[in-house]
Amino acid sequence: MIIKQTQFIKSSTTEAQCPKSTNPEFAFIGRSNVGKSSLINLITNNHKLAKVSGTPGKTQTINHFLINNQWYLVDLPGYGFAQVSKKDRGNFEQYIRAYITERKQLTCLFVLIDSRHEPQAVDVEFINWLGEQEIPFAIIFTKTDKMKPLALERNVEEYTKKLLEFWDELPPMFLSSSAHKVGRDEILDYIESIVVSSE
Ligand code: GTP
Ligand code: MG
């Protein structure tokens, strides 16, 4: 798919504030600092579009970017961010969960996992919750430029094993590196296959 047009539409903190349009949405979620905003910038080929920071907790709102006047990329805040007070974290996670469960336009949620780590409870619990809620999702292992090929393969295998403890089927999985511009075509092809089949 060729991205001809990218347009920032708005930032929201509730599902009700999100754009009224019914165009399909592809949202990015995962732990703070995992690389959600960077990946949106890689996909759109615009390093200034979504705000990126080395400090976790940069994205605090639900951000809608309209692509080719046809579908949205949605940048979400991260979960499991320890620097936010417990109360704020509760509110924060609640509105993200509300967006995920209430948003009818949400066509696929990409769950980003840092490829450097073994399976983390917070990610596995979140993925299991998505399964229970019957939310369509795919997994993207990020920051693969920081890994040697064999270690990367081992971590992906560990994740696969962990998920198969709970689920009979695995979701689609992708590898990405925003630093080395890896994964863009595969993720865009996947989005295109869904957008085209839903037309
Ligand atoms: P929050 O909005 O805080 O939840 O973070 P985020 O998940 O949006 O992460 P963001 O894209 O802001 O990136 C966090 C840090 O990781 C930044 O310093 C990025 O430059 C770095 N980063 C993101 N993706 C990659 C990658 O593929 N490779 C490497 N080496 N660094 C990356
Ligand atoms: Mg972000």
Side-chain angles (χ1 to χ4, degrees), residues 33 35-38 50-53 57-60 63 75-78:
N33 220 38
K36 301 174 290 295
S37 302
S38 303
K51 300 272 180 300
V52 169
S53 166
K58 178 68 180 173
T59 309
Q60 302 258 343
N63 300 287
D75 193 13
L76 296 171

Side-chain angles (χ1 to χ4, degrees), residues 37-82:
S37 302
S38 303
L39 191 57
I40 286 184
N41 291 347
L42 173 71
I43 291 171
T44 56
N45 217 350
N46 180 346
H47 68 280
K48 289 192 180 142
L49 192 67
K51 300 272 180 300
V52 169
S53 166
T55 314
K58 178 68 180 173
T59 309
Q60 302 258 343
T61 49
I62 303 169
N63 300 287
H64 278 77
F65 302 98
L66 181 60
I67 312 296
N68 293 349
N69 234 342
Q70 191 187 17
W71 50 275
Y72 288 92
L73 283 174
V74 183
D75 193 13
L76 296 171
Y79 52 71
F81 175 37

Side-chain angles (χ1 to χ4, degrees), residues 109-120:
L109 183 66
F110 289 103
V111 181
L112 274 56
I113 305 272
D114 192 326
S115 66
R116 293 174 294 179
H117 307 307
E118 289 165 11
Q120 307 282 305

Side-chain angles (χ1 to χ4, degrees), residues 82-96:
Q83 253 50 47
V84 178
S85 76
K86 255 208 169 130
K87 178 171 161 281
D88 281 351
R89 200 156 79 205
N91 289 338
F92 202 56
E93 296 200 356
Q94 224 169 344
Y95 82 69
I96 305 170

Side-chain angles (χ1 to χ4, degrees), residues 115-119 141 147-162 175:
S115 66
R116 293 174 294 179
H117 307 307
E118 289 165 11
F141 293 97
M147 294 292 288
K148 295 224 165 71
L150 273 181
L152 174 64
E153 204 177 303
R154 194 188 56 224
N155 278 358
V156 171
E157 226 167 79
E158 285 299 316
Y159 246 101
T160 305
K161 261 201 243 155
K162 190 76 192 167
L175 299 175

